[in-house]
Each structure stands twice: as structure tokens, then as C-alpha cells.
Amino acid sequence: MKEYRKHLTAVLLAIISIAVLAGCNSDDGKASGKSDPLKVHIALNGKMGPLVIAKEKGLFNEEFSKLDAQIEWSEFQSGPPLLESLASNRVDLSFLGDGALIAGIDKNLPFKVIAQTGRGESSVRILAQAEGNIKQIEDLKGKTVGVASGTTGHVYLIKALKAHGLTTDDIKLINLQPDDAQAAFETKKLDAWAIWNPYYLNNIEKGNAVALKVKGKILAPGAIIARKGFADVHPEIVEAYLKVYKKAADWQIENPDEASEIYSKETKLPVSTVKTIITAEKPNIFFTEDAIKAQQESIDTLAGVGYIKKSFNFKNQINNEYIDEAFKK
């Protein structure tokens, strides 16, 4: 028994020694003078946009390698599920449509608004069945309308209904993510659908849908965001992210044919359809007054219908320090 105990003790000591040595050697590489690259979690919000270009063409590689950082990519169909991952520290950098952006700020989720994606003039529409009896917004009363709750499509729908004297109480609202809504719309389980590109133009071009005309012009500007805890600790990464985002956006503007090919592979849509979408409005990361005004109008509208707790000043939510530092002259 003594010999067994001695043997067992020796084995345990050996295991402990190995573990200690392994721990010393694996202390993030510090013992050997090396450190593991910083993992940066970037989320794609849909299958189109400058981040898709940046990923496809490896544009982050040079900027991030200078900072000893590596990207871990994730992808979401819309903003609300992306926000859930951000709140759990699984997303550091991304962009949001106005619906998720406003709801996230209203709920005090830990992110900063650091730039915009564009004015959003051509991005969202309300579709009706091509062979249905809905010809104008007023005809939506009592009808089944699909939308992903909390998204830019949801905000657009609320604002469009308001412009025509209706509210969401006047319709049968069905909460569906885009791919599920697409299937429901195709099988005519939905009378109408509030959705963004590339979905809306693809359905119109296939002859499945018509876009309903809305009084006035409804802008749906998106915003580029950074998780607060990450941005506070790694401002240099946030600045590099903005530089690459703008580089990808500029490349898309200058190379619409090649950009359309890339997006076509991602979305499985015709190249011609994609090109129509991406040339309808140029991406612009610098905040414009009309985009800020549109965001404020959306905030006030959503507060008025009780979708968010109370209105707030959107300008106070903009953190210009990152974009100013990234593009200082």
C-alpha cells in the first residue's frame, strides 16, 4: 500500500508540475515575449454592404495586422438579434438600421453610435401582393402585414401608416424575420410586407409584388456602432474599422460592376438587380443633417406610439471622436 501511495503521489506531483509549466508557457504567450492577437468580433447585418466587400477582399488584413488584431465574423438577418449578441459581448463592431438602433438606445444597451451608413432614401418599402386588392396604404386596414419587429422596416411601416392616418392597431401585424417573411409572402399568407433591399426590389422584379406609394419622403438611415466596453479600451481598433469601412464603401462606388458580382454571389440575386440597388444611393459614413433629422423624426414617432419609453435627442448619442481621429487632416 505504501508503494502504491508513493507511486500515486509521484504521479500527481508530475501532473501538477506539467500543468504549472503549461500555464507558464501559455500565459497568453507573455512568457515567450509574444501575445495572442486581439480577437475583434465584427457582425455582418445582412448580405450586402461595405462590410461584405471588406471581408471578401481582405481589406481589414493590413489595418488590423498593424494593431495585432484578428477578426471573428458573425452574421445576422437583422438588427434585433445582433443587439442581443452585442449585449452579451459577442459583437464588438457592426452597423444597425434605424429601428434596432433606436430601440437599443432606448434600452440603454452598451454601444456607441460612431458613424452613419447613409441616408436610407431607397432602402425600405411596403410591398403588396401583385395580384391582390391592396393599391394604397389605406387599403392595409384589417390586412395581414409582415415585418421583423424592431427593424428599420418596422419603423418605416409605423411612419407610413401615420402619414396616412393609420396605426399598427389598424392592421394584423405578424413578426417575421426576412427569410421567413419571404416564404410567407410567396405563399400569400401575408397581404403585405414592410421590408428593405435586396428583398423588396427582387420581389418587384420577379413580378411578385408592387410597392405602395407613401406620402412624403421617408428616410431610413442606418448607423455604424461599436460596443462601449470595447471602444473605450481599443479606440485605435474602432478608428481602423472606420477607415476600412470607408475604403470598402469607396471601392463599391468606384467599382459597381465588380461589387455587384460579389453581392450577387452572397444573395443569389441577379447581378443587374444588385447593381440597381447599390447605385441607387451611395454609402456615406459622415453624418448629414437630413439623416440626423430623419433619425430624430423616427425617435419622436416611436415615442408617440409607445414603441419606446420616451423621446431623446439623437445628436447627443453621436460619438464623433472616433471618426474625427480616423480621418483627421
Side-chain angles (χ1 to χ4, degrees):
M1 180 65 72
K2 281 185 178 181
E3 290 300 318
Y4 173 76
R5 287 176 180 169
K6 285 182 182 179
H7 176 71
L8 179 60
T9 300
V11 171
L12 290 173
L13 287 172
I15 292 173
I16 291 169
S17 298
I18 291 169
V20 170
L21 287 171
C24 291
N25 290 333
S26 65
D27 185 19
D28 293 329
K30 291 176 184 176
S32 61
K34 296 180 180 179
S35 61
D36 291 336
L38 174 70
K39 294 291 192 299
V40 183
H41 300 87
I42 299 181
L44 297 172
N45 189 354
K47 297 182 180 297
M48 291 180 64
L51 282 185
V52 175
I53 297 292
K55 181 184 179 185
E56 176 69 20
K57 299 191 73 65
L59 299 183
F60 279 104
N61 295 345
E62 182 179 355
E63 284 290 337
F64 274 36
S65 63
K66 296 175 189 174
L67 302 169
D68 196 24
Q70 287 184 351
I71 297 174
E72 291 192 353
W73 293 96
S74 57
E75 184 176 339
F76 299 85
Q77 280 193 53
S78 65
L82 190 158
L83 281 177
E84 292 177 13
S85 284
L86 184 144
S88 302
N89 297 339
R90 298 196 301 272
V91 171
D92 299 319
L93 299 162
S94 190
F95 65 92
L96 294 168
D98 56 351
L101 179 75
I102 294 167
I105 295 172
D106 177 64
K107 294 174 183 175
N108 294 314
L109 293 185
F111 66 85
K112 293 183 175 184
V113 180
I114 58 173
Q116 70 168 25
T117 60
R119 298 171 72 243
E121 183 175 350
S122 62
S123 59
V124 187
R125 294 291 184 273
I126 298 172
L127 301 181
Q129 295 288 347
E131 298 178 359
N133 57 4
I134 298 174
K135 307 301 181 184
Q136 56 188 3
I137 298 293
E138 287 81 359
D139 295 335
L140 293 174
K141 191 168 184 177
K143 297 298 193 296
T144 301
V145 183
V147 71
S149 180
T151 64
T152 188
H154 196 178
V155 176
Y156 186 95
L157 176 63
I158 291 170
K159 293 171 81 172
L161 291 171
K162 181 182 177 182
H164 292 260
L166 299 175
T167 72
T168 52
D169 290 335
D170 294 310
I171 63 175
K172 297 174 184 176
L173 195 63
I174 307 296
N175 178 20
L176 292 170
Q177 287 296 311
D179 287 349
D180 294 330
Q182 177 68 66
F185 191 80
E186 286 179 353
T187 55
K188 299 188 178 180
K189 293 177 181 176
L190 295 177
D191 298 310
W193 180 21
I195 189 60
W196 52 88
N197 264 328
Y199 294 93
Y200 94 69
L201 184 59
N202 182 46
N203 279 275
I204 289 173
E205 290 194 344
K206 288 195 300 185
N208 295 341
V210 292
L212 301 180
K213 291 183 179 179
V214 178
K215 291 179 182 177
K217 183 183 290 185
I218 298 178
L219 300 182
I224 300 172
I225 62 160
R227 184 170 60 81
K228 188 177 185 301
F230 182 86
D232 290 344
V233 177
H234 303 289
E236 74 288 354
I237 300 290
V238 178
E239 293 154 19
Y241 170 74
L242 287 171
K243 289 177 183 177
V244 175
Y245 193 105
K246 184 177 185 302
K247 185 176 181 180
D250 291 344
W251 184 90
Q252 175 183 305
I253 293 168
E254 295 164 5
N255 302 274
D257 292 327
E258 190 176 346
S260 297
E261 293 280 356
I262 291 172
Y263 292 141
S264 177
K265 290 177 183 177
E266 292 290 326
T267 62
K268 311 303 181 188
L269 296 177
V271 173
S272 58
T273 300
V274 173
K275 188 173 180 180
T276 298
I277 293 169
I278 68 172
T279 56
E281 181 182 340
K282 295 179 180 179
N284 172 32
I285 72 169
F286 299 101
F287 280 105
T288 58
E289 285 303 316
D290 57 350
I292 293 172
K293 181 182 177 182
Q295 289 284 26
Q296 191 61 54
E297 289 173 351
S298 294
I299 291 165
D300 296 340
T301 297
L302 295 180
V305 300
Y307 183 76
I308 59 175
K309 293 189 290 290
K310 61 181 180 179
S311 185
F312 54 85
N313 189 323
F314 181 66
K315 278 190 175 182
N316 293 341
Q317 302 296 323
I318 298 172
N319 295 266
N320 282 318
E321 63 267 28
Y322 301 100
I323 202 168
D324 289 346
E325 185 64 25
F327 300 102
K328 64 183 179 181
K329 294 180 180 179

